Amino acid sequence: MVRSDARENRARILAAAREALATDSSTSINQIAQRAGVGSGTLYRNFPTRESLVLAVYQDEVARITSAVPDLLAQMPPLEALRHWTTDLVEAMRRKHGLGDALGPGAHQAISEHSYGPVIAAITELLDAGKRDGSIRPDADPGDFLQLTGALWRAATGPEDRAPHMLALILDGLRTNRVGTAHATAPAQ
């Protein structure tokens, strides 16, 4: 069992690393320890390498994002919950891509492997809620949604962030009350 002060140190280190690395991906481990108010030995006991720290930041972020689904669904209709959740995911993925220089190829693979299942499960929960209330078309697929939203965190952010507009188009395609459907046939020639 981990002592409460050790849990608090780990949480402070993760928070300091998330903030520091989002600002500057070359921030040193010692600077992160200083920001967290812990010694470098404490940081290295928790995260023996820079890569292990960055991976833990990502895993913590994925856990935070995926665990937000039940609260979002309790507060708003499924399509609106999906919009909020996806916007949060896009911001997290933009931060992840900004930290790419801090990670080797193996770490990028590990992030994808560890985050895919929880992210798909969260998307499934959101889509299923919309299917149950009739706001989301029954053939909406979590894998397809994740593929489509992958373009959002690569979308241009300046001079205007294109991601919100692109997300609106994706969500409109999920609605059951759309004018056209994916199954409509082309007009005869």
Side-chain angles (χ1 to χ4, degrees):
M1 189 165 164
V2 180
R3 294 184 347 229
S4 65
D5 60 333
R7 280 192 309 271
E8 290 169 11
N9 283 342
R10 182 178 169 83
R12 281 201 319 268
I13 293 167
L14 286 172
R18 183 181 310 106
E19 182 181 308
L21 294 171
T23 305
D24 178 7
S25 65
S26 66
T27 302
S28 75
I29 293 290
N30 288 334
Q31 289 171 316
I32 293 169
Q34 207 171 24
R35 277 182 110 147
V38 301
S40 59
T42 299
L43 189 144
Y44 281 110
R45 264 192 307 281
N46 283 279
F47 307 101
T49 65
R50 177 181 182 76
E51 200 160 89
S52 67
L53 175 59
V54 174
L55 284 172
V57 168
Y58 289 156
Q59 289 170 338
D60 189 55
E61 188 78 354
V62 168
R64 181 190 66 74
I65 291 167
T66 57
S67 68
V69 170
D71 287 341
L72 288 172
L73 287 171
Q75 297 170 16
M76 57 192 73
L79 267 171
E80 193 59 26
L82 184 59
R83 178 186 315 279
H84 281 276
W85 185 86
T86 304
T87 300
D88 200 16
L89 179 66
V90 166
E91 289 307 311
M93 292 299 101
R94 284 179 172 168
R95 286 190 298 272
K96 173 187 159 214
H97 284 281
L99 294 175
D101 295 341
L103 297 173
H108 282 286
Q109 182 66 30
I111 288 170
S112 295
E113 290 171 1
H114 284 71
S115 61
Y116 184 80
V119 168
I120 286 292
I123 294 169
T124 299
E125 187 175 350
L126 288 158
L127 292 178
D128 285 352
K131 290 174 186 180
R132 280 191 302 276
D133 82 353
S135 63
I136 293 178
R137 47 191 286 171
D139 64 341
D141 179 78
D144 292 346
F145 183 80
L146 185 58
Q147 284 283 320
L148 288 167
T149 58
L152 298 178
W153 54 81
R154 293 177 196 91
T157 56
E160 176 189 346
D161 187 357
R162 300 299 304 153
H165 177 72
M166 293 167 63
L167 178 57
L169 292 172
I170 293 168
L171 293 177
D172 282 348
L174 289 174
R175 294 180 195 279
T176 54
N177 58 353
R178 295 180 318 123
V179 173
T181 67
H183 303 293
T185 57
Q189 299 279 340

